[in-house]
């Protein structure tokens, strides 16, 4: 299981004595760690465990509840346009199987000489188990470069790629980026079919889309729907440790679809299917292809992606939240602003700490661009340059303070 880097996690919250639980339990206020990875909520993202093939069951017919998928119409008025797209791009969609060996840890107490004196060689030995997962991916280069989700191959000892024609190859993970959930794989093959790429910046809600993948081990499954929304922030869907503006779709996506393509009516890939909200219907999320391309190019070139990092924990401030804070904190925290982004924690020795940012500061602008939401701060920081000073304006005790902060590279997470 992945956790935050403990050496960089906040040790204290508020010099005025406000406990950390105050911020974390502020009546449902969503707290976001900018530049720090946290656990993805189990209800939101397809985890490795959920990507594992599940037994297939047939549910009895249920009464019609009035939820009817909208008809998918092509601008060419061709009723078989989905068939043509699938025939065109299907061979470039692959199945990815991964496995990793997990070694259980022997409690430290059993290594104590006192216990060994009594138990000798009878002390427990580390046990190993193999975790297996399955997902999807698509070929972006005829010489065998493939993209998929980071969580499909995360920590894998072995990756196997199966083409639609049945051929199987061992895959080498070129790199993975957990912050955007993108990974790049290479197989030893040539003259492979590839997908053409669309422009995800030009997408509009209501456009018809097609998803191809391997949900629950059902290879080469096709579903269709529309784009339900664009620009869904990571905090919108409960994955605040990610830095992605997602495309929402009602095309059916299930565990195992992770890493597969979302296509437009011309057969161009416009996003990578990646997330679902469990228990919901018609709520799937995909990473825009422009983001996938940008990250994949860096992974292929260097094996990693460096993201700018400030080291702050923050909430979007509203008059209602301000009132809650006032009721709980009293005069221990003087907040005069009614809107902006409130800093509730500063990571020690981080760029934010070095720049002089303090708990209770309200960010008003970054790089001379006004901000009122945490998503706006995340986007501006993500688009900044590591090592280049970034002007930041904050309101502190009713006064405007101008500071300069120099983003560092996001610290790598580690096993916990």
């Amino acid at each position: 299981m992945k956790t935050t880097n403990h050496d960089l996690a906040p040790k204290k919250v508020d010099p005025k004595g406000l406990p950390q639980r105050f911020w974390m339990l502020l009546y449902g206020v969503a707290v976001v760690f900018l530049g720090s990875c946290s656990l993805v909520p189990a209800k939101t993202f397809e985890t490795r465990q959920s990507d594992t093939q599940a037994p297939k069951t047939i549910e009895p017919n249920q009464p019609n509840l009035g939820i009817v998928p909208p008809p998918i119409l092509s601008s060419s008025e061709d009723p078989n346009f989905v068939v043509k797209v699938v025939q065109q791009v299907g061979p470039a969609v692959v199945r990815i199987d991964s496995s990793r060996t997990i070694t259980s840890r022997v409690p430290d107490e059993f290594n104590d000489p006192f216990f060994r004196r009594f138990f000798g060689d009878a002390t427990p030995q580390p046990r190993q188990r193999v975790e297996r997962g399955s997902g999807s991916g698509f070929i972006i280069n005829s010489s065998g470069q493939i993209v998929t989700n980071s969580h499909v191959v995360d920590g894998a000892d072995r990756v196997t790629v199966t083409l639609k024609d049945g051929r199987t190859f061992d895959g080498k993970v070129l790199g993975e980026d957990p912050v955007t959930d993108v990974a790049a794989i290479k197989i030893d093959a040539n003259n492979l079919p590839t997908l053409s790429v669309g422009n995800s910046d030009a997408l509009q809600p209501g456009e018809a889309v097609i998803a191809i993948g391997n949900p629950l081990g059902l290879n080469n499954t096709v579903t269709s729907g529309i784009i339900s929304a664009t620009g869904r922030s990571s905090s919108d869907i409960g994955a605040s440790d990610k830095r992605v503006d997602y495309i929402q779709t009602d095309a059916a996506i299930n565990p195992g679809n992770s890493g597969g393509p979302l296509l437009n009516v011309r057969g161009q890939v416009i996003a990578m299917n990646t997330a679902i909200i469990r228990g919901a219907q018609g709520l799937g999320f995909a990473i825009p292809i422009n983001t996938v391309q940008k990250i994949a190019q860096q992974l292929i070139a260097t094996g990693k992606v460096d993201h700018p990092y400030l080291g702050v924990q923050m909430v979007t401030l509203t008059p209602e939240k301000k009132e809650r804070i006032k009721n709980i904190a009293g005069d221990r925290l003087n907040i005069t602003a009614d809107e902006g982004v409130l800093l509730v924690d500063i990571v020690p020795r981080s760029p934010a700490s070095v720049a002089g940012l303090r708990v209770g500061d309200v960010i008003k602008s970054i790089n001379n661009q006004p901000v009122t939401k945490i998503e706006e701060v995340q986007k501006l920081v993500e688009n900044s340059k590591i090592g280049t000073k970034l002007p930041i304006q904050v309101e502190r005790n009713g006064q405007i303070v101008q500071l300069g902060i120099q983003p560092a590279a996001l610290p790598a997470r580690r096993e916990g």
Side-chain angles (χ1 to χ4, degrees):
M1 180 173 65
K2 299 290 183 182
T3 63
T4 35
N5 189 320
H6 299 292
D7 295 334
L8 292 162
K11 304 298 189 298
K12 300 178 181 178
V13 173
D14 179 25
K16 296 189 174 84
L18 294 178
Q20 187 169 10
R21 288 186 64 192
F22 162 72
W23 301 112
M24 298 300 290
L25 301 177
L26 185 58
Y27 296 98
V29 175
V31 179
V32 173
F33 242 141
L34 182 59
S36 181
C37 292
S38 62
L39 293 175
V40 177
K43 68 178 181 180
T44 302
F45 262 74
E46 298 177 19
T47 61
R48 289 184 51 81
Q49 185 177 6
S50 65
D51 271 338
T52 305
Q53 294 183 26
K56 305 172 185 61
T57 58
I58 299 176
E59 299 290 341
N61 291 331
Q62 299 293 328
N64 190 332
L65 300 179
I67 303 175
V68 180
I72 305 303
L73 302 176
S74 169
S75 58
S76 65
E77 298 184 356
D78 181 357
N80 293 319
F81 80 97
V82 174
V83 175
K84 292 183 178 179
V85 168
V86 173
Q87 292 174 342
Q88 172 188 338
V89 307
V93 181
V94 303
R95 171 174 173 149
I96 299 174
D97 293 290
S98 62
S99 62
R100 63 173 179 171
T101 302
I102 306 296
T103 302
S104 61
R105 182 171 167 270
V106 176
D108 293 337
E109 290 80 2
F110 287 100
N111 292 320
D112 188 287
F114 175 80
F115 279 90
R116 288 193 174 277
R117 176 181 174 185
F118 289 95
F119 295 100
D121 295 334
T123 56
Q125 298 300 311
R127 293 184 178 181
Q128 292 186 335
R129 73 178 190 278
V130 177
E131 240 182 36
R132 303 183 189 278
S134 178
S136 307
F138 53 94
I139 305 169
I140 59 171
N141 184 288
S142 61
S143 61
Q145 292 172 350
I146 297 167
V147 292
T148 185
N149 280 142
S150 172
H151 73 261
V152 171
V153 297
D154 188 22
D157 302 319
R158 183 180 181 186
V159 174
T160 303
V161 177
T162 304
L163 306 187
K164 186 177 181 181
D165 62 15
R167 287 183 292 167
T168 300
F169 299 87
D170 286 332
K172 176 184 178 182
V173 178
L174 300 177
E176 54 174 303
D177 179 41
V179 177
T180 56
D181 204 8
V182 175
I185 300 173
K186 178 72 168 63
I187 61 174
D188 188 12
N190 293 296
N191 301 318
L192 296 175
T194 63
L195 293 185
S196 59
V197 176
N199 178 15
S200 54
D201 289 340
L203 299 175
Q204 297 291 327
E207 289 186 41
V209 289
I210 303 160
I212 305 179
N214 309 290
L216 302 175
L218 298 170
N219 293 348
N220 307 310
T221 294
V222 179
T223 58
S224 65
I226 61 170
I227 293 175
S228 305
T230 59
R232 292 292 193 210
S233 70
S234 54
S235 57
D236 283 340
I237 70 170
S240 58
D241 64 317
K242 306 300 177 186
R243 295 191 185 179
V244 176
D245 284 338
Y246 295 92
I247 294 168
Q248 182 180 327
T249 178
D250 68 349
I253 296 174
N254 290 282
N257 274 115
S258 294
L262 189 68
L263 307 143
N264 61 20
V265 295
R266 294 177 293 281
Q268 298 171 321
V269 56
I270 47 92
M272 176 193 290
N273 300 317
T274 189
I276 57 176
I277 294 181
R278 301 207 179 284
Q281 293 187 5
L283 290 176
F285 301 92
I287 305 170
I289 194 60
N290 291 8
T291 300
V292 174
Q293 277 192 301
K294 174 185 173 183
I295 299 301
Q297 288 169 0
Q298 295 179 63
L299 293 174
I300 292 169
T302 66
K304 64 175 184 176
V305 178
D306 286 328
H307 295 275
Y309 160 81
L310 299 187
V312 298
Q313 190 174 358
M314 58 190 179
V315 296
T316 297
L317 186 63
T318 64
E320 293 77 16
K321 292 175 185 175
K322 176 183 174 181
E323 188 63 27
R324 291 185 207 150
I325 293 171
K326 183 179 178 180
N327 291 338
I328 299 173
D331 58 1
R332 288 179 291 174
L333 198 61
N334 180 25
I335 301 174
T336 57
D338 289 323
E339 66 174 12
V341 178
L342 173 66
L343 301 185
V344 300
D345 198 8
I346 307 294
V347 178
R349 299 178 297 279
S350 67
S353 177
V354 172
L357 289 172
R358 302 176 186 173
V359 170
D361 285 349
V362 177
I363 300 177
K364 306 298 289 185
S365 72
I366 292 181
N367 203 20
N368 301 317
Q369 298 188 46
V371 295
T372 57
K373 300 178 181 179
I374 55 178
E375 293 85 1
E376 295 168 346
V377 174
Q378 287 177 313
K379 188 172 294 185
L380 287 170
V381 172
E382 182 66 16
N383 292 331
S384 67
K385 293 183 179 179
I386 295 172
T388 300
K389 188 162 288 188
L390 196 63
I392 183 168
Q393 183 187 83
V394 301
E395 183 172 324
R396 179 182 296 167
N397 296 322
Q399 302 294 319
I400 298 298
V401 179
Q402 304 283 350
L403 299 169
I405 186 168
Q406 189 169 300
L410 175 67
R413 66 182 185 178
R414 70 183 184 186
E415 293 285 352

